[in-house]
């Protein structure tokens, strides 16, 4: 019951917001309050959750379980519950949506509808993570696409409509492949059911490798688009660049996790035989995504596109680890469990850090309407708090120990290497490239002489070069010159972060540090479930 | 999940405090920012003083401590432990940390961002202390990489100047390239031993042992600026002088040497790794020694000589001379810290670190000059000072003749570059030196700076007692390295006279043929034999740009062309729908209309025509009947 309340409270508040039409400010605060209550409820669930010793989760030891009849003809039910895989992601969803609610307190454009859409999206995300029935999962999964489409199309900038459409169609086609896979699972099982727990207990298609492989292909394709994995990732940079900052934060922080979560929750426990057979392919896809994401990010000249490609890189690590967890013949259970733990930890860590990075890039958009690297420089001078926050998020994202990314990546590498040494060594070089690209970004944005975009050319999107100022050097000259003459209105003043911006970003970074230094709080929840996955996939 | 090691509770708390005290104080300073600028210096001195006292306690008690971190496997916890080697390093790091902090308080400009500087400084010291006590791979990696990141922040302390942060970035990326080896080693440890405990590594089976050894070796070589990673050390000289005095004497570069000494059993067990380590150390000592000879900038000379001197430590680890390597590490730390403090004091006073500008610097400021002279003589390997003794200690353990020749040549080069430096700073000032190349000098050396340099020089000289067996034997016992060979009188005599000869010839040459060194400076040796190019990011950036184009044109292009194709197919189908499907429907309708019109025509209303039509119809029917029957 509590879980149902947690899932549907946001959409209820959204309905109230749309029906009662409160004033804009009240709408913003209602959203913040609703998200805070959500987070408190999830915190309560976490507090009460006891995974117990050994391996629990996925097929047993599910807490807050509700199982109601829904479409009895195909045995699809309203089956939800929480275990060590879903609880961390539910909590991450709660944290990120609260951060976005706080961030959006200053939203001027239709704040009521904006809040309602986000609340709707939150229900969809929570529902996907809590669902234990394939049809229910699919419904929530598709609703997230709808919600995000309207957020990008309505509140985005630049080429927002086109990017939103690309996002919608691409991920929607992916979800259709997912549906085909789910129907395959239904038809392949002996009990003819869509119930995930039942399917995981008694895996379908165990002795038909071809059918099992095809079903895994369909499911994998659908999830790979969402994750996204190379080569299905090109919707991501466009959608991110044109989305509003909170939209990007949710898209990268939560929506991408729906894909990776699907792999651990559905593909691995329900199709263990096929997963083992094709584990090496998953590993290779993961490594290619790692390197491709890192190198392409290095070449970007726009901050948001760069961060978007690092998501491809980070999700590649997750897939590497999950693939390695399926290499049953090559690695022992301990190593495969460590890899799985790392993968789930990476989902949470990436959500926090990339969420923070996208919100921080929103500061740049707010001040200067551009993300282009060559339009900014020396920001550590006028905006030291922004600089510090950006540096912490960047170092976290490049996997510096002391922040959550290290705990995840260390376990991913250590756990994957025994099974797939060559692939893992290649993937490890990815953290060097990400170190390079983040240090380069720090150097370009934060240090050196002060550069800020002038208001006149600021609206040109995707880093298009303003004809008036051909070179960055010229821009620098013009901007600093104007700054010295006290603002005349043509130049952006780089105000440091304040109020809601700080209140949204700083908790994310603090959480990342806490999870980097004291990981037990999260690991105690993840480890039993990861052990269960590593055992289930070895059947 | 994790087995917590029960150690003496009092002792383990001290060990925890040893790392946490500077870490917490440093974080606090960073969080307070500029508000804490005034208090930062005194606070840092107090904290490092406390750390030094704790280090002494820890070295005596040798406790262990474990904090739960990762689960599932043994050794996932954060575990620190102190044995003989760690005890020496802990005391060394804490002491040099204290002395350099005192120097930094006097050396940094009063209006600078001192809280930021000392914040990172303390964090760095904490990371180094954790590195030299780490007992599991997660602990080691955590401390190791935090040390790298704080060194980045310290080298790039003056971030407003673009080049300075660039040097920090280069240092971080180069050392991280080596660090990747530690991640590999961790995976190999898990595969080969099933644990992440550092001490278990030599027991790893088969190929995993070799992989682990290779990973550890790469990480250590990167951190210690050994070949081929040496060039970052040159750029790191862009950092403030106290940073050089700490990072490039007792810490950072020393960490690589320490790690190899720590994992010497693994190197030994893998076979090839020990030999490789020894040769890389020896070659670094030789090549970077030659590079040091050809520098025109005092800090660059010292940087190259740091890589060269740590090369002897690396050689010692490869050759299995733990006691000699540790002694070399300690002696070099004292020598080099003293010299960097002197170079920093001169830079602040005179505004230059060019050798040409520092002519006679030791005479202008005799206190610091005396300290630098003693440390310089020790660096040259002159008896009876410290590095003379420690180098022979290492040489005694080297079996291969080829290796011995390389080492002796490298030792000779130490005497040459030290001699060159001494010849410059001790010569009579000509009065035409170019000062203030890097900002206005203060023209004074604070007494505290002189005191710190003097203290370090005393240690640098005094450690020469290691040559006496009475001292050397207990040291070996302390380090659990009994039975390692000791040099005989003949070896001491040979190396000592080699050093004196090298020094004397250099000093004479510097007088008689000053042009000789000018020619060397312009040669490849002066430019660090192109090692910087080896670490160039250009290829990576080129690959990145190429992949980005492929990503846009091919990968996304395919997606876009699918969209375009879908639109085209839709258009074609729409045309087909209009022309073919709907056309057929319309044709049927047209046909029906025509048929209807045709059917109207016989309805004339004239009876005779109807009869005629009936007759014709009947005739037709009759004919049909006849035909089909």
């Amino acid at each position: 019951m509590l879980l149902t309340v947690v899932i549907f409270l946001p959409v209820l508040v959204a309905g109230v917001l749309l029906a009662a039409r409160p004033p804009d400010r009240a709408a913003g605060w209602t959203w913040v309050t609703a998200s805070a209550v959500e987070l408190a409820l999830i915190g309560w669930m976490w507090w009460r959750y006891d995974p117990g010793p050994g391996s629990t989760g996925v097929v047993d030891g599910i807490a807050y379980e509700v199982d109601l009849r829904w479409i009895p003809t195909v045995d699809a039910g309203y089956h939800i519950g929480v275990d060590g895989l879903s609880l961390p992601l539910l909590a991450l969803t709660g944290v990120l949506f609260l951060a976005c609610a706080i961030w959006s307190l200053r939203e001027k454009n239709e704040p009521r509808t904006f809040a309602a859409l986000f609340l709707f999206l939150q229900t969809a995300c929570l529902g996907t993570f809590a669902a234990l029935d394939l049809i229910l999962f699919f419904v929530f999964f598709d609703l997230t696409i709808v919600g995000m489409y309207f957020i990008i199309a309505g509140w985005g900038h630049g080429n927002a409509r086109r990017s939103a459409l690309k996002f919608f169609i691409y991920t929607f086609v992916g979800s259709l492949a997912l549906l085909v896979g789910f129907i395959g699972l239904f038809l392949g099982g002996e009990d003819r059911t869509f119930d995930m727990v039942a399917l995981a207990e008694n895996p379908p298609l165990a002795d038909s490798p071809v059918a099992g492989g095809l079903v895994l292909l369909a499911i994998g394709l659908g999830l790979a688009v969402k994750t996204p994995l190379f080569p299905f990732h090109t919707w991501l940079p466009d959608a991110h660049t044109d989305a509003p900052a909170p939209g990007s934060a949710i898209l990268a922080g939560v929506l991408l996790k729906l894909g990776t979560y699907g792999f651990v929750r559905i593909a691995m426990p329900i199709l263990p035989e096929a997963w083992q057979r094709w584990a090496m392919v998953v590993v290779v896809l993961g490594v290619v995504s790692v390197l491709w994401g890192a190198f392409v990010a290095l070449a970007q000249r726009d901050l948001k596109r760069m961060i978007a490609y690092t998501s491809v890189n980070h999700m590649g690590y997750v897939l590497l680890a999950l693939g390695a967890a399926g290499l049953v013949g090559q690695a022992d259970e301990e190593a495969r469990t460590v890899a799985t733990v790392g993968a789930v930890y990476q989902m949470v860590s990436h959500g926090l850090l990339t969420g923070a990075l996208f919100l921080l890039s929103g500061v740049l958009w707010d001040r200067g309407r551009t993300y282009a690297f060559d339009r900014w420089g020396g920001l550590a001078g006028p905006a030291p708090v922004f600089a510090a926050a950006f540096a912490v998020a960047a170092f976290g994202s490049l996997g510096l120990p002391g922040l959550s990314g290290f705990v995840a990546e260390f376990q991913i590498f250590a756990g994957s290497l025994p099974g797939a040494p060559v692939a893992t060594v290649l993937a490890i070089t990815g953290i060097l490239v990400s170190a390079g690209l983040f240090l380069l970004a720090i150097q370009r944005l934060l240090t050196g002489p002060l550069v800020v975009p002038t208001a006149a050319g600021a609206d040109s999107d995707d880093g298009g070069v303003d004809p008036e100022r051909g070179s960055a050097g010229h821009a620098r000259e013009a901007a600093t010159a104007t700054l010295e003459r006290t603002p005349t209105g043509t130049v952006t003043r780089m105000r440091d972060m304040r109020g809601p911006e700080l209140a949204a970003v700083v908790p994310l970074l603090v959480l990342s540090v806490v999870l980097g230094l004291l990981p037990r709080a999260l690991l105690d929840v993840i480890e039993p479930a990861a052990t269960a996955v590593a055992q289930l996939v070895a059947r | 999940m994790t087995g917590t090691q029960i150690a003496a509770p009092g002792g383990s708390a001290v060990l925890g405090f040893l790392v946490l005290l500077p870490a917490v104080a440093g974080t606090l300073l960073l969080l307070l920012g500029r508000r804490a600028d005034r208090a930062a210096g005194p606070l840092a001195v107090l904290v490092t003083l406390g750390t030094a006292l704790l280090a002494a306690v820890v070295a005596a008690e040798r406790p262990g401590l474990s904090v739960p971190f990762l689960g599932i496997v043994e050794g996932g916890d954060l575990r620190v432990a102190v044995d003989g080697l760690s005890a020496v390093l802990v005391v060394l790091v804490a002491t040099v940390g204290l002395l350099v902090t005192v120097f930094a308080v006097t050396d940094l400009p009063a209006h600078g961002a001192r809280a930021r500087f000392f914040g990172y400084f303390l964090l760095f010291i904490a990371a180094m202390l954790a590195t030299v006590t780490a007992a599991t791979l997660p602990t080691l990696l955590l401390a190791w990489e935090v040390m790298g990141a704080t060194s980045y922040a310290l080298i790039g302390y003056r971030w407003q100047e673009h080049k300075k942060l660039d040097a920090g970035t280069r240092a971080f990326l180069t050392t991280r390239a080596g660090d990747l080896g530690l991640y590999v080693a961790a995976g190999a440890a898990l595969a080969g031993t099933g644990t992440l405990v550092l001490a278990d590594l030599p027991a790893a089976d088969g190929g995993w042992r070799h992989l682990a050894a290779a990973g550890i070796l790469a990480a250590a070589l990167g951190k210690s600026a050994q070949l081929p990673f040496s060039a970052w050390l040159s750029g790191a000289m862009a950092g403030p002088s106290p940073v050089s005095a700490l990072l490039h004497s007792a810490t950072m570069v020393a960490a690589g040497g320490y790690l190899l000494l720590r994992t010497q059993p693994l190197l030994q067990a893998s076979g090839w790794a020990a030999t490789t380590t020894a040769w890389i150390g020896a070659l670094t000592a030789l090549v970077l020694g030659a590079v040091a000879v050809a520098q025109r900038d005092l800090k660059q000379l010292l940087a190259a000589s740091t890589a060269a001197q740590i090369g002897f430590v690396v050689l010692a680890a490869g050759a299995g001379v733990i006691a000699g390597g540790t002694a070399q590490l300690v002696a070099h730390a004292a020598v080099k810290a003293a010299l960097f403090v002197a170079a920093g004091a001169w830079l602040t006073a005179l505004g230059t670190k060019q050798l040409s500008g520092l002519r006679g610097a030791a005479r202008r400021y005799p206190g610091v000059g005396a300290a630098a002279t003693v440390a310089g003589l020790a660096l040259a390997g002159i008896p009876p000072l410290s590095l003379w003794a420690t180098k022979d200690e290492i040489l005694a353990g080297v079996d291969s003749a080829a290796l011995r020749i390389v080492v002796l040549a490298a030792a000779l080069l130490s005497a040459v570059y030290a001699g060159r430096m001494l010849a410059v700073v001790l010569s009579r000032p000509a009065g035409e030196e170019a000062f203030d190349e890097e900002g206005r000098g203060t023209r004074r050396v604070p007494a505290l700076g002189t005191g710190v340099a003097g203290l370090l020089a005393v240690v640098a000289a005094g450690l020469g007692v290691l040559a006496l067996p009475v001292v050397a034997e207990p040291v070996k016992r302390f380090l659990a390295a009994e039975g390692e060979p000791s040099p005989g009188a003949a070896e001491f005599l040979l190396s000592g006279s080699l050093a004196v000869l090298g020094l004397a010839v250099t000093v004479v040459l510097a007088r008689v043929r000053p042009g000789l060194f000018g020619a060397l400076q312009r040669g490849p040796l002066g430019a660090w034999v192109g090692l910087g190019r080896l670490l160039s990011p250009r290829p990576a950036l080129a690959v990145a740009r190429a992949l980005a184009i492929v990503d846009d044109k091919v990968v996304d292009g395919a997606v876009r062309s699918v969209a375009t194709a879908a639109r085209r197919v839709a258009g074609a189908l729409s045309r087909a729908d209009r022309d073919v499907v709907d056309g057929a429907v319309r044709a049927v309708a047209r046909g029906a209309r025509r048929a209807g019109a045709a059917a109207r025509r016989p309805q004339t209303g004239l009876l005779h025509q109807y009869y005629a039509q009936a007759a014709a119809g009947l005739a037709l029917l009759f004919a049909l009947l006849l035909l089909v029957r």
Side-chain angles (χ1 to χ4, degrees):
Chain A
M1 190 56 206
L2 177 59
L3 186 54
T4 303
V5 172
V6 166
I7 295 174
F8 289 101
L9 180 70
V11 78
L12 214 70
V13 177
V16 170
L17 275 182
L18 289 180
R21 308 198 66 76
D24 290 354
R25 266 186 70 81
W29 282 104
T30 312
W31 178 16
V32 171
T33 315
S35 292
V37 170
E38 272 295 291
L39 187 59
L41 288 177
I42 296 170
W44 171 253
M45 281 170 56
W46 188 299
W47 180 252
R48 296 292 306 276
Y49 178 73
D50 176 25
S55 79
T56 51
V58 188
V59 290
D60 56 359
I62 293 168
Y64 308 102
E65 200 172 357
V66 179
D67 194 358
L68 301 175
R69 281 157 61 89
W70 180 30
I71 317 174
T73 45
V74 291
D75 196 16
Y78 175 73
H79 189 183
I80 53 171
V82 165
D83 64 7
L85 297 180
S86 50
L87 189 54
L89 292 168
L90 291 173
L92 174 70
T93 309
V95 168
L96 275 180
F97 272 91
L98 178 58
C100 289
I102 295 172
W103 178 275
S104 306
L105 278 174
R106 293 184 308 120
E107 178 67 43
K108 300 278 188 303
N109 178 16
E110 293 276 342
R112 212 173 320 127
T113 326
F114 193 61
L117 265 175
F118 266 90
L119 287 164
F120 166 77
L121 190 59
Q122 185 170 9
T123 287
C125 293
L126 293 171
T128 321
F129 289 132
L132 290 176
D133 181 278
L134 293 175
I135 294 298
L136 195 64
F137 180 93
F138 179 77
V139 168
F140 281 126
F141 188 89
D142 262 13
L143 288 180
T144 63
I145 306 179
V146 177
M148 187 48 77
Y149 168 78
F150 284 111
I151 287 171
I152 299 175
W155 283 264
H157 37 253
N159 223 339
R161 293 264 171 87
R162 185 177 172 279
S163 298
L165 191 64
K166 186 174 184 180
F167 158 77
F168 184 87
I169 295 178
Y170 210 142
T171 49
F172 189 70
V173 168
S175 79
L176 291 183
L178 195 62
L179 185 61
V180 171
F182 287 176
I183 292 171
L185 291 180
F186 173 75
L187 296 175
E190 287 162 19
D191 328 329
R192 288 292 156 97
T193 176
F194 280 108
D195 191 85
M196 290 187 202
V197 178
L199 284 168
E201 269 171 348
N202 189 6
L205 303 166
D207 34 303
S208 45
V210 177
L214 286 175
V215 170
L216 181 63
L217 178 68
I219 292 178
L221 208 63
L223 296 174
V225 170
K226 192 80 180 181
T227 300
L229 290 181
F230 176 87
F232 307 111
H233 63 278
T234 52
W235 59 268
L236 187 73
D238 288 350
H240 272 309
T241 316
D242 297 335
S248 287
I250 294 299
L251 179 56
V254 182
L255 262 57
L256 302 192
K257 308 303 169 307
L258 300 181
T260 46
Y261 175 75
F263 282 110
V264 222
R265 165 70 67 194
I266 299 169
M268 292 171 74
I270 298 183
L271 290 166
E273 197 267 348
W275 188 265
Q276 284 181 40
R277 186 181 300 270
W278 298 101
M280 216 40 182
V281 176
V282 179
V283 166
V284 170
L285 259 182
V287 172
V288 172
S289 296
V290 162
L291 294 177
W292 191 271
F295 274 108
V296 178
L298 180 61
Q300 296 305 313
R301 278 171 293 183
D302 173 300
L303 175 63
K304 249 188 161 182
R305 283 187 82 84
M306 185 198 90
I307 304 171
Y309 276 105
T310 62
S311 291
V312 179
N313 162 270
H314 282 116
M315 293 299 100
Y317 293 128
V318 175
L319 262 284
L320 162 71
L322 295 182
L327 293 170
V328 174
Q330 286 93 316
D332 62 359
E333 192 188 305
E334 274 193 342
R336 294 187 299 107
T337 308
V338 170
T340 315
V341 173
V344 179
Y345 212 91
Q346 174 80 329
M347 294 186 209
V348 177
S349 159
H350 174 260
L352 295 173
L353 289 167
T354 306
L357 278 173
F358 275 125
L359 289 182
L360 285 167
S361 63
V363 174
L364 293 188
W365 180 264
D366 180 68
R367 310 292 194 270
R369 305 275 148 196
T370 177
Y371 303 114
F373 279 127
D374 56 5
R375 307 288 295 277
W376 297 99
L379 297 181
V385 178
F386 170 79
F390 186 83
V392 170
F395 271 94
S397 201
L398 66 82
L400 183 74
L403 288 108
S404 52
F406 169 73
V407 177
E409 280 161 22
F410 178 82
Q411 297 193 83
I412 289 175
F413 295 145
S416 304
L417 194 112
V422 178
T424 308
V425 169
L426 283 175
I428 290 177
T429 58
I431 64 170
L432 181 62
V433 182
S434 24
L437 68 96
F438 274 113
L439 293 189
L440 208 60
I442 287 179
Q443 225 166 298
R444 283 161 160 177
L445 291 177
L446 304 183
T447 68
L450 181 66
V451 185
V452 285
T454 52
D459 268 315
S460 69
D461 291 299
D462 45 69
V465 180
D466 194 321
E468 265 182 84
R469 288 170 288 101
S471 70
H474 194 169
R476 196 167 297 166
E477 225 169 81
T480 40
T482 330
L483 259 194
E484 278 160 14
R485 280 191 267 118
T486 65
T488 57
T490 58
V491 82
T492 316
R493 275 182 51 226
M494 185 59 200
R495 253 180 296 103
D496 206 349
M497 292 168 70
R498 50 184 184 160
E501 292 171 342
L502 273 179
V505 173
V506 170
L508 299 182
L509 298 178
V510 169
L511 259 179
S512 176
V513 173
V514 169
L515 291 182
L517 290 173
L518 308 166
R520 287 312 322 167
L522 184 50
L523 285 176
D524 282 340
V525 170
I526 295 177
E527 279 170 1
T531 311
V533 171
Q535 284 168 1
L536 288 174
V537 84
R539 284 177 296 174
Chain B
M1 282 286 152
T2 330
T4 308
Q5 304 290 301
I6 308 297
S12 50
V14 172
L15 186 50
F17 281 133
L18 175 71
V19 177
L20 283 181
L21 177 66
V24 170
T27 313
L28 203 69
L29 282 178
L30 288 177
L31 286 178
L32 285 173
R34 306 233 39 167
R35 272 164 290 178
D37 276 353
R38 286 167 57 86
L43 180 72
V45 172
L46 274 180
V47 168
T48 43
L49 185 63
T51 311
L53 295 176
L54 287 172
V57 175
V58 161
E61 287 198 10
R62 305 214 184 166
L65 173 67
S66 162
V67 180
F69 194 62
L70 309 180
I72 309 289
V73 286
E74 159 77 5
D77 52 333
L78 291 185
R79 196 183 303 172
V80 279
V82 179
D83 62 357
L85 179 58
S86 293
V88 172
L89 265 289
V90 162
V91 172
L92 172 72
V93 170
T95 314
V96 176
L98 170 65
L99 291 176
V100 177
T101 307
V102 171
F103 168 63
V105 170
T106 67
D107 189 64
L108 276 191
H111 51 82
R114 294 168 75 99
R116 178 159 57 91
F117 180 86
F118 285 109
Y120 284 125
F121 212 69
L122 292 177
L123 264 185
F124 179 91
I125 292 173
M128 183 70 194
L129 287 170
T131 301
V132 298
T133 51
T136 61
L137 279 157
T139 322
L140 177 67
L141 241 175
L142 195 154
W144 189 265
E145 286 228 280
V146 168
M147 179 163 55
T150 43
S151 79
Y152 160 83
L154 286 170
I155 295 168
Y157 170 65
R158 299 195 189 93
W159 53 263
Q160 295 88 341
E161 299 160 45
H162 216 275
K163 274 278 181 280
K164 304 253 164 164
L165 193 64
D166 209 43
T169 302
R170 185 161 289 220
F172 184 69
L173 289 182
T174 310
T175 52
R176 193 166 217 218
D179 295 356
L180 303 184
L182 275 188
Y183 286 91
V184 174
L190 188 57
T193 69
T195 76
L196 292 169
V197 180
L198 204 51
D200 288 354
L201 276 176
D205 17 273
W208 298 120
R209 191 170 56 212
H210 297 302
L211 192 60
I216 296 263
L217 187 56
L221 296 180
K223 216 45 145 199
S224 281
Q226 300 296 293
L227 290 175
F229 297 104
S230 309
W232 71 263
L233 199 52
S234 165
M237 292 301 121
S241 303
V243 171
S244 310
L246 181 65
L247 267 62
H248 310 125
S249 63
T251 61
M252 189 84 182
V253 287
Y258 159 78
L259 181 61
L260 290 175
L261 292 172
R262 161 72 56 209
T263 55
Q264 191 269 336
L266 171 67
L267 303 177
Q268 210 70 58
S270 90
W272 64 271
T275 321
T276 313
T277 307
W279 271 103
I280 290 180
L283 287 176
T284 307
L286 185 70
V287 174
L288 272 294
V291 167
V293 172
Q295 296 306 306
R296 64 183 76 213
D297 173 320
L298 176 58
K299 278 181 84 176
Q300 291 292 330
L301 185 155
L302 293 177
S305 95
T306 294
Q309 294 292 328
I310 297 288
F312 290 110
V313 181
V314 172
L315 161 71
V321 194
I322 302 297
T326 312
Q328 167 83 8
L329 202 59
V330 174
H332 168 256
V335 167
K336 206 44 74 68
L339 286 173
F340 271 120
V341 165
W346 289 332
L347 175 59
T348 308
L350 302 174
T352 183
K353 52 191 167 69
Q354 298 296 316
L355 284 173
S356 55
L358 290 172
R359 213 179 150 72
R363 289 177 186 246
R364 286 177 202 271
Y365 305 106
V368 151
T373 307
V374 172
L377 289 173
L379 185 60
I382 302 296
L385 306 179
S386 56
L387 286 177
W388 160 71
T390 57
K391 235 172 270 171
D392 279 344
E393 199 71 38
I394 295 170
L395 205 55
V398 174
D399 298 328
S400 141
L403 209 50
R404 289 176 74 93
I405 292 170
V406 172
V407 174
L408 282 175
L412 183 64
L413 281 175
S414 320
V416 174
Y417 59 69
R420 179 159 181 240
M421 175 190 77
L422 289 175
V424 170
V425 298
L426 284 175
S427 63
R428 218 170 285 284
E432 56 205 26
E433 288 80 16
F435 294 148
D436 303 330
E437 290 186 330
E438 315 204 0
R440 275 200 67 75
T442 57
R443 298 294 183 276
R444 57 177 217 93
V445 170
L448 266 178
T450 312
V452 166
L455 214 55
L456 286 165
V458 168
V459 178
L463 282 177
V465 295
L466 284 170
L468 302 173
V470 194
V471 183
E473 288 312 317
V475 167
K476 282 180 186 166
R477 267 202 304 284
F478 189 83
L479 291 167
E482 294 99 335
E484 283 178 5
S486 286
E491 283 161 310
F492 275 131
L493 198 66
L494 171 68
S495 73
S497 42
L498 207 61
V500 173
L501 186 72
L503 186 77
V505 170
T506 312
V507 171
V508 171
L509 268 182
R511 281 280 154 76
V512 184
R513 299 278 303 276
L516 185 67
F517 290 107
L520 276 176
Q521 284 167 3
R522 287 186 293 278
L525 283 177
W528 290 66
V529 288
L531 282 168
R533 230 167 296 147
L534 211 62
L535 308 169
S536 163
R538 288 224 182 85
L541 287 172
V543 168
R545 273 192 294 273
L547 290 186
I549 291 170
V550 173
D551 191 72
D552 187 47
K553 294 276 181 320
V554 181
V555 182
D556 196 38
V559 175
R560 283 195 304 263
S561 61
V562 166
T564 318
R567 264 212 308 279
R568 261 194 218 134
V569 169
L573 286 181
S574 148
R575 273 194 302 282
D577 190 64
R578 193 182 62 220
D579 299 347
V580 181
V581 182
D582 196 41
V585 173
R586 273 177 284 135
V588 168
R590 220 167 26 243
R593 206 161 49 235
R594 281 201 196 127
R600 260 202 320 275
R601 294 185 62 190
Q603 318 289 324
T604 56
L606 300 171
L607 212 54
H608 66 277
Q609 286 183 354
Y610 288 168
Y611 282 133
Q613 283 169 20
L618 276 175
L620 207 65
L621 274 178
F622 189 67
L624 196 69
L625 200 67
L626 284 177
L627 269 175
V628 299
R629 197 185 59 93

